[in-house]
Amino acid sequence: MNSRREFLQKLTGSALALSVLPGTVSAISKEFTEMPYDGPVLRVAIMGLGSYGTRVAEAMRDCKKAKLVGVISGTPAKIKNWQGTYNIPEKNCYNYENFDRIKDNPDIDAVYVITPNALHHDEVIRVAQAGKQVICEKPMALNAKEGEEMIAACKKANVKLLVGYRMHFEPHTLEVIRMRKADEFGKIMFFQGLCGFDIGDPTQWRLNKKLSGGGSLMDIGIYAINGSRYMVGENPIWVTAEETKTDPVRFKEGVDETIQFQFGFPSGAVASCLSTYAMNNLDRFFLNGTKGFAELMPSTNYGPIRGHTNKGEIDQPTVTHQTVQMEEMSDILLRGKQPVVPVDGEEALKDLKIIDAIYLAASTGKKVDLNL
Ligand code: NDP
């Protein structure tokens, strides 16, 4: 093989720069990790050193195009610990009070915001004002109004805003999208997205509306919302929704336990989805057209993602989502690459508008029209 790029193009036409789980296709992994890379590297600071921030940092160890170089945290002990683990210099460490100073740090290109949902709005705007590229976790904000303000702030500061939609780079997912675009399923008629887990600990921020902005829909249901759009290949024009609550003690007012929602698309296709904090192992996408179907199960967890269609198994490599995501985001931010499914603020804003509409439909019992 002449070059790393040729190797990766041969490996897959869709998800470049794979990080392969140990034991899956280890020969590919070895060849990939040993290949030299001399292109630009995105230097990233992570804000919020919690559970998902830690996962991203670990996954970035295998990146060639992105590197963890800084941290922003409210917990000094974590900063110390991460400095040791990831070799982060003192000058690249910040807290929530002083991180605007990152403006004067030429060694950081981008900040990845991985804090509770309600904090994203202000933090993203501050990062943008400091002139750094922004990656923000999902949901990008609590509602569409906040999302619009964040997009405007990034535009004004001339920085890009990306959102951590890791499934947009996942090979099984991309293969279903490729097949749908190639008309292999015929005219798409139906999508079903089921997303849920048992939330556990009642004291966590995810069950505190002030920090989460809602319940299961903000956290896990968003995968079915976003997934219905990239699976069907259209944006919904109407929404209906129904909320059910079996445990009003754990799920307070404004924190949804279970929501079912339905979409109608311009082509006439429909979607039926369920989002819940009350059931484990609910993780399935099903797409049906006039000629065939695709099923992904699990469809959005950390993997391995598995899938099949009416033609058989989907034969794609198992990857570490966050490694591939950060490799691809480096290409988007540093080289202007266009991903197959967008991951920018405008894409996330569509999901926020749909979330607003689902909550409105659930509270009024009425069908809500959408114009995305
Ligand atoms: P955690 O609670 O594990 O971590 C959040 C971190 O944010 C904390 O550890 C803390 O870090 C910081 N923080 C700042 N202010 C607060 C506050 N008031 N309360 C609690 N934490 C605070 O959450 P997750 O890492 O699971 O989730 C963070 C974000 O990532 C959410 O938006 C979530 O939706 C998203 N996420 C995305 C996933 C994906 O697959 N794309 C998966 C999981 C989460 P510090 O001490 O360093 O300040």
Side-chain angles (χ1 to χ4, degrees):
M1 208 64 63
N2 291 337
S3 71
R4 181 174 177 276
R5 182 165 292 274
E6 275 174 345
F7 168 76
L8 289 169
Q9 276 167 352
K10 208 167 173 182
L11 184 67
T12 166
S14 48
L16 295 182
L18 299 174
S19 164
V20 185
L21 282 183
T24 324
V25 248
S26 51
I28 294 171
S29 177
K30 191 160 185 296
E31 195 170 345
F32 170 70
T33 50
E34 284 173 5
M35 267 178 205
Y37 172 73
D38 55 10
V41 173
L42 184 73
R43 298 164 304 170
V44 179
I46 289 184
M47 180 186 297
L49 314 182
S51 145
Y52 196 63
T54 303
R55 184 176 285 273
V56 171
E58 279 301 298
M60 282 182 70
R61 285 178 187 276
D62 290 334
C63 286
K64 289 175 188 270
K65 299 177 178 179
K67 186 174 183 337
L68 175 65
V69 298
V71 289
I72 300 147
S73 168
T75 315
K78 285 191 202 167
I79 295 182
K80 268 261 146 327
N81 187 269
W82 280 49
Q83 280 191 268
T85 309
Y86 300 105
N87 200 18
I88 294 167
E90 189 68 35
K91 68 173 186 57
N92 289 359
C93 298
Y94 299 87
N95 59 41
Y96 299 112
E97 283 72 49
N98 69 16
F99 77 79
D100 308 273
R101 287 193 216 140
I102 211 164
K103 186 174 189 232
D104 305 316
N105 191 329
D107 300 325
I108 294 173
D109 303 311
V111 174
Y112 194 161
V113 175
I114 317 186
T115 53
N117 309 341
L119 308 178
H120 296 175
H121 171 266
D122 290 4
E123 289 168 349
V124 163
I125 291 174
R126 282 172 66 188
V127 171
Q129 286 169 349
K132 301 297 176 185
Q133 312 283 7
V134 199
I135 305 171
C136 177
E137 255 318 312
K138 46 58 55 179
M140 181 169 84
L142 299 190
N143 50 52
K145 180 178 173 290
E146 281 194 0
E148 275 159 0
E149 289 166 2
M150 292 155 82
I151 291 169
C154 290
K155 256 191 202 132
K156 191 171 171 204
N158 202 21
V159 299
K160 286 187 183 143
L161 169 59
L162 305 184
V163 177
Y165 288 125
R166 61 188 160 78
M167 301 316 296
H168 292 200
F169 307 106
E170 196 283 317
H172 298 74
T173 306
L174 289 171
E175 176 60 6
V176 175
I177 292 169
R178 185 200 66 73
M179 291 177 75
R180 187 252 300 151
K181 285 183 177 170
D183 199 34
E184 295 192 33
F185 308 126
K187 178 172 157 45
I188 298 300
M189 302 296 291
F190 178 67
F191 172 79
Q192 184 187 44
L194 307 176
C195 297
F197 63 98
D198 189 329
I199 185 73
D201 178 10
T203 64
Q204 62 188 291
W205 67 260
R206 281 181 169 77
L207 296 178
N208 172 352
K209 186 172 159 61
K210 274 207 175 117
L211 285 171
S212 63
S216 76
L217 189 68
M218 302 296 291
D219 192 35
I220 189 78
I222 191 170
Y223 285 96
I225 294 170
N226 189 251
S228 73
R229 295 172 48 233
Y230 63 66
M231 286 278 140
V232 174
E234 299 177 60
N235 291 314
I237 50 173
W238 58 255
V239 173
T240 55
E242 309 81 36
E243 182 181 352
T244 46
K245 203 171 273 202
T246 63
D247 185 349
V249 177
R250 199 159 48 134
F251 304 103
K252 304 264 180 312
E253 180 66 30
V255 179
D256 51 282
E257 174 190 316
T258 301
I259 293 199
Q260 295 181 73
F261 50 95
Q262 299 79 35
F263 296 148
F265 296 91
S267 65
V270 291
S272 169
C273 303
L274 188 139
S275 164
T276 184
Y277 265 162
M279 272 177 259
N280 267 335
N281 300 310
L282 190 69
D283 187 1
R284 178 176 182 259
F285 280 4
F286 181 77
L287 184 70
N288 215 132
T290 49
K291 292 199 288 196
F293 73 88
E295 181 186 54
L296 293 173
M297 190 170 80
S299 54
T300 66
N301 74 10
Y302 299 137
I305 301 302
R306 293 278 175 255
H308 64 132
T309 71
N310 50 297
K311 296 182 175 177
E313 283 298 304
I314 299 175
D315 183 18
Q316 291 291 321
T318 292
V319 302
T320 301
H321 300 171
Q322 297 79 8
T323 309
V324 179
Q325 175 199 319
M326 293 310 290
E327 292 287 78
E328 292 285 307
M329 286 188 166
S330 170
D331 275 347
I332 294 167
L333 292 174
L334 298 180
R335 304 191 208 220
K337 184 176 176 181
Q338 295 294 323
V340 174
V341 187
V343 282
D344 54 21
E346 301 287 349
E347 167 76 7
L349 178 60
K350 292 192 174 92
D351 289 340
L352 294 175
K353 286 181 176 172
I354 297 171
I355 287 174
D356 287 351
I358 292 173
Y359 280 135
L360 181 63
S363 65
T364 60
K366 297 213 169 102
K367 188 174 187 176
V368 176
D369 290 329
L370 277 168
N371 185 7
L372 304 175

